[in-house]
Amino acid sequence: MHKGSTGRPAAAGPARRSFARDGAATILVTAATMGLGLLTGILVARNLGPDGRGALAAILTTTQLLGWLFGMGCGKAVTYALSRDPSVGGRLLTSWALMLTPVAAAAIGAGLLLLPTLLAAQPAETLELARLYLPMIALALLSELMLGLLLGDQDFRAFNALNFLQPAGVAAAYVALWAAGHFTVETAVAAQAAMSTLVLVAATVLLIRRHGIGRPDLALGRRTAWYALRTHGDVVGGVVTQRLDLLIIPAYLPAAQVGLYALATSLSWLIVSLSGALATVVMPAAARRGRSGRVLVLNSLQATFAVGGLLAGGLFVFADIAIRLVYGPAFADSVLPLRLLLPGAVLYAAASILLNGLYAENRPFTATLAHLLGMAVTLAGLLLFLRDGGLVAAALVSSVAYTLVFVTAAALYRRATGLPWRVFLPDPAVLAAMPRRLLNKPPPAAATPAGPSGE
């Protein structure tokens, strides 16, 4: 049995649970989290209006994006390493905590320089509040590390619990602030910071108890950093594809327009969050299983299509009624951008399954190519059409970019595994009819990794 640095077994219990049970639990937690997100969104919309919602979205999104951009792909790297070798948890924790310290300082410095440009169309008080919130980048980087280690442990129960704790605490704080008559953009930001800190502390304590504090390992750090750097292009490309619209819009459009679009993107992203919930656990589970994990990836892809299509269809039909009833007539102009975003959202959720399948195949740089294409289309499209086309142009550009990410991800996964196209069809009977030897066969020679380091 593998042991952590303290000599204790490294999370053998969670690793033995079936993927179906873990996946179902992840979807349920994601659904509950979505419900909390809707609650907080309603509180923000009803009490702060489009201007307040836009200011809050600009502050939180800017800091979140900088954290992702400077994260170096550490979450994926430690998840893969710990999935393959459960004995290295303590050394991974210490080595990466040290490596992320200067990265966090650089991210905060970059944020201070970029905020005046990124929030150029926002009032001075929004810019000042965003500056005060910037140190949360350091916590975001460390949280990515800790949650990545929990996934590598196959401890999906703790991972889901902590991911639920964050929005649950924020929702409770928002309700308390609203009841006390103190619900403002400033107090909402403070609530977000407090809950992020609590989640990080809880995850750190759990991991230290499990693995101990290992000695920094230069060789392990260098090896996992190489994997991380090959994933970082995918992380950066994914962040840009997903959130570049919200990052650029505050520089061109007033806060009310930002608030309308933020509502449309948050609702469309519910489709990605729920229908793509399996993507979170696909990579560690498939990596632990080796080539037989391909069956898991393809089954998850088909489930994602089914769930996503059902949710998006319902939201498309009832978008107008739901937004007016829940958020109020002031947000009616969010309906069209939302409907334009929905098809791309379903395909993007499906792409996330395939990209995590590439991570499990030790092909992180291959996964990067799909998001680089999406990033290029998003950036070019927004720069060309945002000023004249407004919210509709932003939604169209984003939906097209999501679609291209899926098409590219499917082609890359097929090439990396050598599987026929028919196994990608949303029909369980097709996959069930495939011989096990075909699903477990090595990839074509051209796509075979050159060695243990992968691509």
Side-chain angles (χ1 to χ4, degrees):
M1 179 181 293
H2 292 289
K3 295 181 180 292
S5 58
T6 60
R8 295 187 296 271
R16 288 195 294 265
R17 298 202 307 271
S18 71
F19 179 79
R21 179 180 176 183
D22 294 325
T26 301
I27 291 175
L28 289 174
V29 169
T30 302
T33 301
M34 288 168 50
L36 292 170
L38 286 172
L39 173 61
T40 56
I42 293 169
L43 284 172
V44 171
R46 289 287 188 178
N47 290 277
L48 303 181
D51 286 342
R53 184 179 177 90
L56 183 60
I59 293 167
L60 299 180
T61 301
T62 301
T63 302
Q64 185 182 51
L65 280 171
L66 288 169
W68 283 340
L69 292 174
F70 281 85
M72 297 175 58
C74 69
K76 294 290 188 184
V78 299
T79 296
Y80 182 80
L82 196 55
S83 294
R84 303 294 294 194
D85 183 2
S87 70
V88 298
R91 287 177 287 149
L92 278 173
L93 192 158
T94 307
S95 301
W96 270 98
L98 291 174
M99 288 191 291
L100 288 175
T101 300
V103 175
I108 294 171
L112 291 172
L113 293 174
L114 292 172
L115 278 178
T117 300
L118 295 175
L119 302 181
Q122 307 309 307
E125 54 267 25
T126 300
L127 176 60
E128 185 59 32
L129 188 56
R131 285 177 175 146
L132 293 175
Y133 192 68
L134 270 180
M136 294 304 299
I137 294 175
L139 273 69
L141 295 177
L142 290 173
S143 294
E144 182 183 355
L145 168 63
M146 301 306 171
L147 294 176
L149 289 169
L150 287 175
L151 285 174
D153 271 335
Q154 315 285 292
D155 192 353
F156 305 125
R157 180 179 298 174
F159 176 84
N160 285 327
L162 290 174
N163 273 325
F164 179 75
L165 176 63
Q166 165 81 17
V170 169
Y174 280 12
V175 170
L177 290 168
W178 167 71
H182 298 299
F183 190 53
T184 64
V185 174
E186 292 79 5
T187 57
V189 169
Q192 292 279 352
M195 289 311 304
S196 296
T197 303
L198 178 60
V199 168
L200 174 61
V201 170
T204 303
V205 170
L206 176 61
L207 287 163
I208 290 177
R209 285 180 176 176
R210 179 176 298 161
H211 295 288
I213 300 177
R215 295 182 60 182
D217 188 327
L218 180 61
L220 178 63
R222 185 170 58 247
R223 186 167 65 252
T224 53
W226 173 233
Y227 185 99
L229 289 174
R230 288 180 292 144
T231 71
H232 194 48
D234 180 50
V235 173
V236 171
V239 169
V240 172
T241 303
Q242 297 168 26
R243 291 294 181 260
L244 187 61
D245 45 8
L246 276 176
L247 189 63
I248 289 181
I249 284 176
Y252 289 90
L253 302 177
Q257 292 288 295
V258 177
L260 293 171
Y261 190 75
L263 176 62
T265 56
S266 65
L267 290 175
S268 70
W269 213 248
L270 294 177
I271 304 297
V272 178
S273 299
L274 185 57
S275 61
L278 288 176
T280 303
V281 295
V282 160
M283 194 272 268
R288 183 67 60 91
R289 287 162 173 76
R291 287 185 182 137
S292 63
R294 295 170 184 173
V295 179
L296 181 150
V297 171
L298 294 169
N299 280 330
S300 299
L301 175 68
Q302 295 170 2
T304 298
F305 269 126
V307 174
L310 182 64
L311 292 173
L315 189 53
F316 187 95
V317 172
F318 296 106
D320 192 10
I321 297 174
I323 287 179
R324 290 177 184 273
L325 180 64
V326 176
Y327 294 96
F331 287 88
D333 287 342
S334 296
V335 173
L336 180 56
L338 170 60
R339 284 174 169 159
L340 294 174
L341 286 166
L342 287 174
V346 175
L347 292 173
Y348 193 85
S352 66
I353 298 290
L354 296 172
L355 294 175
N356 277 277
L358 285 169
Y359 282 125
E361 297 280 338
N362 196 13
R363 306 288 301 216
F365 186 71
T366 299
T368 299
L369 298 178
H371 271 143
L372 288 179
L373 177 60
M375 177 179 67
V377 170
T378 302
L379 181 59
L382 289 174
L383 292 178
L384 288 172
F385 304 115
L386 178 59
R387 188 181 297 276
D388 295 329
L391 304 185
V392 171
L396 282 171
V397 168
S398 296
S399 200
V400 169
Y402 297 163
T403 302
L404 288 176
V405 170
F406 169 74
V407 172
T408 307
L412 292 174
Y413 189 74
R414 177 183 179 275
R415 181 184 179 190
T417 59
L419 297 174
W421 278 115
R422 62 185 181 275
V423 302
F424 292 86
L425 297 174
D427 182 358
V430 173
L431 185 59
M434 293 297 297
R436 184 70 56 172
R437 59 179 175 77
L438 180 59
L439 288 169
N440 293 343
K441 75 175 184 178
T448 303
S453 62
E455 298 144 331

